[in-house]
Amino acid sequence: MSNRNRETLSGAEIVVRLLERQGIRALAGIPGGAILPIYDALSQSTQIHHVLARHEQGGGFMAQGMARATGLPAVCMASSGPGATNLLTAIADAKLDSIPLVAITGQVPRSLIGTDAFQEVDTYGLSIPVTKHNFLVDSAESLLEIIPRAFRIAASGRPGPVLVDIPKDVQNQRVEVDEWPAPGRAVEPPPADPTLVEQAAAMINEAARPILYLGGGVVHSGAAPAAVELAEKASLPTVMTLMALGAMPVDHPLSLGMLGMHGARCTNLALDECDLLIAVGARFDDRATGKVAGFCPQARIVHIDIDPSELDKIKAAHVGIAGDVLTVLEKLLPAVDRRSRATWLSRVGHLKASHPLRMPGIDDPRTPYGLIRAVADCLDDQATIATDVGQHQMWVAQAYPLRRPRQWLTSGGLGTMGFGVPAAIGAALAEPERTVVCFTGDGSILMNVQELVTAAEEDVNVKIVLMNNASLGLVLQQQTLFYGERIYASQFKGMPDFVRVAEGFGIAALDLDRETDPLSALSAALTARGPMLIHASIAISEQVLPMVPPGAANKEMIGG
Amino acid sequence: MNALTRNEREAVARTVLELAVNNHPGVMSHVVGLFSRRAYNVEGILVMPVGDGATSRIWLQVNEDERLDQMVKQIEKLEDVLTVRRHGAEHEVFVRLEEFFR
Ligand SMILES: Cc1ncc(C[n+]2csc(CCOP(=O)(O)OP(=O)(O)O)c2C)c(N)n1
């Protein structure tokens, strides 16, 4: 670890060296005056590939795509002032979905801080509520401690974003370095209380109608196989949050798919009947629970989460276990009885048969479900699926056969339009052997459309499937259902020619509307390598159903 | 909401929180930000460095509220917070300060 050769290095060089030692091979960002020393040092790195985003938010989401695909902290960079403020949405998004991110921002020199200097903004203050932790660095020497610590914090426990704000003079300050710190890695969380694990096992063994409820924490802790094993051993019907999709293959016999606002009727109805809810790495988000008082009204609750503040936050747990969900599930497994639960499984089977997810048009690629199914039919489970935010996101969540943890990249907690394209680019950079598909809408794509040129420049294997309904569809749907059909500010009058937009940015485009054989055109597009936009019109009248009205209990679903 | 009369104020159950924290310029913002973003008023606040000044002690006087357990858990999650202890309203730290507020 120690390095006998004493070197004199600038703060900027120290940052780059620490990122290299951390194993960073790619990062995304945009330079500017206050971060130029770091960019100058970065230019000398042979290890790190800098991806030049066209908007800092795009850079932030590219880093998120890398982190979501691999589970490892990823890095984005921005200059002071507007660079830093542009990054904030991507950081907030990472906070709500617990994504490990290290954001490095330049700041005006220390002597100018607090003077309203050019491009000075209180990045530290602005980022407090949207980061897991943040730093304002006051000396080059302290970078040796702060950078590894930032990675450790981002990756440890419940992952999250960390921001490091570095004044320009600190980047230029030269200090002697004779020993390098170890890279920052996730520290092992404290072990869970074994008596609580015993109690949880006893509750599972006693339950007549248990349901396993998986959240994003299962994916983060690599616990998907253990969760499936638990479900199989104890015969637990299993629901997943939006963030957990892929943890259990949707076509697994025990899977009830996604719960909540756009879950299948059978899923929400089964939850309504359960007598035990085993929540694993899930946080009882309102989109999943609906009106909390009406969520699993008969159930006792076992809640396992790495973040103690999630226990009892929304719903009091009868047994709340703070701990890494993988470790806890491994302890729980031997204590849980192998059971067949024939009565309960047959009841759930009956619910599934009588209230399945209805997917009208599944065989017609000119409808939302049919298009999603046609895309899935061209790919295998190695493909990664990203989305933007809106109806298209929910249709994909309902209909795409996700079968692999980390196969699914979506903005769950913040629900940020503009997430999809840059996140898909990041995922493709991190795992270039995969095909990455991004389902987007005509509203969302425009929120980070500038990154199409980044996709072209990096020649990433990203296929953007644009479901064009000439509207902010999910808004239009809510106005239709809940605002007396007063459609306002959700229908586009102007419509870009998206095929020409894509071609103008330097990526190939396919207009499925013009293809007489859309299936074979789609298959050719998805199997070719490189970035491509696939444009498909869908009817503005299409809705995502069923839908739980905001504020209602989950069993009060509309449609489907 | 905060314009309680003196009698009303005395009727509200109070809690005193004692935090040991790393002593640096951002800590106060991190701690009070958790309260302000939940519109949870901090009634009293007192901070002084401890020992060699590497750490500080923050005393917070807050109204008891069903959110208090969650607040304490959130405070415990902050990187720069080393420990959190809960005391009853009778804790003398704010009682003794009262003479400065007459
Ligand atoms: C940045 C941002 N602004 C606004 C919203 C609110 N919103 C949610 S869905 C939606 C419409 C999305 O339209 P589009 O991308 O075309 O998808 P569609 O619903 O039509 O599939 C809007 C405006 C949001 N989620 N994110």
Side-chain angles (χ1 to χ4, degrees):
Chain A
M1 206 122 302
S2 83
N3 181 343
R4 290 283 140 236
N5 306 339
R6 177 171 291 200
E7 294 170 273
T8 302
L9 297 171
S10 70
E13 289 164 335
I14 291 172
V15 169
V16 172
R17 196 77 73 82
L18 289 169
L19 294 179
E20 290 175 345
R21 294 173 55 88
Q22 195 66 44
I24 298 300
R25 293 293 174 271
L27 58 81
I30 301 191
I35 199 168
L36 276 177
I38 289 179
Y39 269 78
D40 195 37
L42 204 51
S43 74
Q44 302 306 305
S45 174
T46 51
Q47 271 186 37
I48 301 178
H49 171 57
H50 176 267
V51 180
L52 180 59
R54 299 311 202 263
H55 186 296
E56 288 83 357
Q57 187 188 109
F61 282 135
M62 286 175 207
Q64 271 218 41
M66 298 177 198
R68 287 178 190 247
T70 63
L72 298 170
V75 179
C76 53
M77 284 188 178
S79 195
S80 65
T85 54
N86 274 351
L87 206 53
L88 286 175
T89 300
I91 295 174
D93 189 279
K95 176 87 184 317
L96 279 178
D97 284 348
S98 306
I99 304 302
L101 199 70
V102 174
I104 296 178
T105 49
Q107 182 53 280
V108 301
R110 280 174 300 169
S111 57
L112 293 181
I113 287 182
T115 67
D116 300 327
F118 178 63
Q119 295 192 332
E120 181 191 2
V121 75
D122 177 10
T123 305
Y124 183 84
L126 283 170
S127 58
I128 287 175
V130 295
T131 52
K132 186 173 173 191
H133 192 57
N134 61 356
F135 297 92
L136 175 54
V137 183
D138 68 358
S139 71
E141 200 185 353
S142 64
L143 286 164
L144 291 164
E145 192 247 319
I146 288 174
I147 300 287
R149 204 169 142 213
F151 280 90
R152 175 168 60 69
I153 294 168
S156 297
R158 178 181 187 167
V162 178
L163 182 136
V164 185
D165 196 31
I166 313 178
K168 191 173 186 180
D169 61 315
V170 171
Q171 298 172 41
N172 285 325
Q173 189 185 14
R174 298 185 74 77
V175 289
E176 280 191 356
V177 181
D178 47 15
E179 205 173 329
W180 290 96
R185 303 275 182 240
V187 292
E188 217 168 288
D193 180 344
T195 54
L196 293 175
V197 176
E198 286 301 318
Q199 285 173 25
M203 281 168 74
I204 296 171
N205 293 339
E206 283 158 24
R209 300 183 307 280
I211 286 187
L212 183 61
Y213 157 41
L214 305 180
V218 172
V219 175
H220 296 321
S221 83
V228 173
E229 203 183 326
L230 175 68
E232 289 172 348
K233 186 172 183 195
S235 293
L236 307 172
T238 301
V239 301
M240 287 169 273
T241 66
L242 182 67
M243 296 307 297
L245 293 178
M248 173 183 271
V250 273
D251 31 20
H252 190 288
L254 288 167
S255 170
L256 279 163
M258 180 172 70
L259 81 160
M261 186 174 270
H262 295 294
R265 251 169 207 277
C266 56
T267 310
N268 288 332
L269 291 174
L271 283 161
D272 203 53
E273 293 182 16
C274 74
D275 69 347
L276 177 70
L277 185 69
I278 308 144
V280 184
R283 60 183 177 86
F284 294 82
D285 173 75
D286 52 277
R287 285 295 189 267
T289 62
K291 189 167 87 189
V292 178
F295 182 62
C296 303
Q298 317 171 34
R300 300 214 292 162
I301 290 173
V302 170
H303 192 179
I304 306 168
D305 202 284
I306 196 159
D307 180 352
S309 74
E310 288 302 341
L311 305 177
D312 304 330
K313 184 182 84 175
I314 304 289
K315 208 150 161 100
H318 298 79
V319 174
I321 305 177
D324 168 53
V325 299
L326 174 58
T327 325
V328 175
L329 290 180
E330 282 170 345
K331 294 259 157 44
L332 196 58
L333 266 164
V336 165
D337 296 341
R338 187 167 293 283
R339 293 273 301 272
S340 58
R341 290 191 216 279
T343 318
W344 177 225
L345 291 193
S346 96
R347 170 67 189 152
V348 170
H350 173 76
L351 286 172
K352 272 176 150 178
S354 39
H355 306 282
L357 186 69
R358 295 191 202 287
M359 294 187 281
I362 190 89
D363 297 319
D364 175 1
R366 311 237 184 243
T367 71
Y369 292 120
L371 177 60
I372 293 160
R373 178 56 54 90
V375 170
D377 285 345
C378 298
L379 299 165
D380 61 20
D381 296 344
Q382 293 313 307
T384 297
I385 309 301
T387 73
D388 255 305
V389 170
Q391 289 180 310
H392 62 275
Q393 174 190 31
M394 291 300 128
W395 283 319
V396 180
Q398 291 176 327
Y400 197 96
L402 297 162
R403 300 194 183 94
R404 171 174 70 80
R406 301 200 178 283
Q407 183 181 12
W408 169 242
L409 317 180
T410 202
S411 169
L414 199 65
T416 314
M417 293 168 70
F419 169 92
V421 169
I425 295 172
L429 287 162
E431 299 186 320
E433 68 287 358
R434 296 192 194 275
T435 300
V436 182
V437 177
C438 168
F439 288 93
T440 184
D442 49 317
S444 292
I445 193 175
L446 291 178
M447 291 223 184
N448 272 317
V449 74
Q450 74 287 346
E451 304 308 339
L452 290 182
V453 68
T454 316
E457 205 168 84
E458 297 291 328
D459 197 27
V460 285
N461 197 22
V462 168
K463 310 295 177 189
I464 299 161
V465 179
L466 169 53
M467 300 171 74
N468 185 352
N469 54 7
S471 65
L472 297 167
L474 200 55
V475 173
L476 188 129
Q477 173 170 340
Q478 296 218 33
Q479 291 174 337
T480 306
L481 294 175
F482 311 121
Y483 292 86
E485 297 186 37
R486 290 181 296 281
I487 305 306
Y488 182 70
S490 57
Q491 217 173 337
F492 294 126
K493 297 189 195 85
M495 177 58 65
D497 180 337
F498 284 108
V499 167
R500 284 174 63 197
V501 167
E503 287 169 353
F505 277 113
I507 76 173
L510 166 72
D511 191 352
L512 278 188
D513 299 354
R514 292 171 186 274
E515 297 295 324
T516 45
D517 184 353
L519 289 180
S520 62
L522 197 57
S523 155
L526 290 170
T527 42
R529 240 197 117 75
M532 183 181 279
L533 181 108
I534 300 164
H535 175 268
S537 292
I538 54 164
I540 193 170
S541 54
E542 294 280 4
Q543 295 188 335
V544 197
L545 296 170
M547 178 172 196
V548 177
N554 278 353
K555 66 175 175 192
E556 294 158 30
M557 288 159 285
I558 301 173
Chain B
M1 191 171 126
N2 299 318
L4 301 181
T5 67
R6 193 172 180 91
N7 283 347
E8 281 171 330
R9 246 186 289 142
E10 272 154 19
V12 176
R14 288 276 166 81
T15 292
V16 172
L17 300 176
E18 176 187 355
L19 283 57
V21 301
N22 292 322
N23 180 12
H24 76 79
V27 176
M28 288 294 289
S29 280
H30 279 114
V31 172
V32 298
L34 289 180
F35 286 87
S36 56
R37 82 181 180 101
R38 292 174 172 80
Y40 195 137
N41 200 39
V42 176
E43 300 293 325
I45 189 161
L46 179 66
V47 196
M48 291 282 276
V50 182
D52 65 357
T55 62
S56 295
R57 191 167 300 148
I58 302 179
W59 299 93
L60 300 174
Q61 187 188 45
V62 296
N63 290 336
E64 287 210 16
D65 176 312
E66 73 279 5
R67 298 171 297 173
L68 191 56
D69 288 341
Q70 178 63 209
M71 285 311 311
V72 169
K73 287 181 181 177
Q74 292 292 341
I75 298 170
E76 283 171 338
K77 282 199 329 187
L78 293 176
E79 272 294 312
D80 285 317
V81 172
L82 309 171
T83 58
V84 183
R85 290 174 62 193
R86 284 167 84 153
H87 304 278
E90 71 288 351
H91 194 282
E92 61 180 352
V93 60
F94 287 102
V95 176
R96 285 215 233 153
L97 265 181
E98 274 190 6
E99 76 177 84
F100 293 95
F101 290 84
R102 292 220 178 95

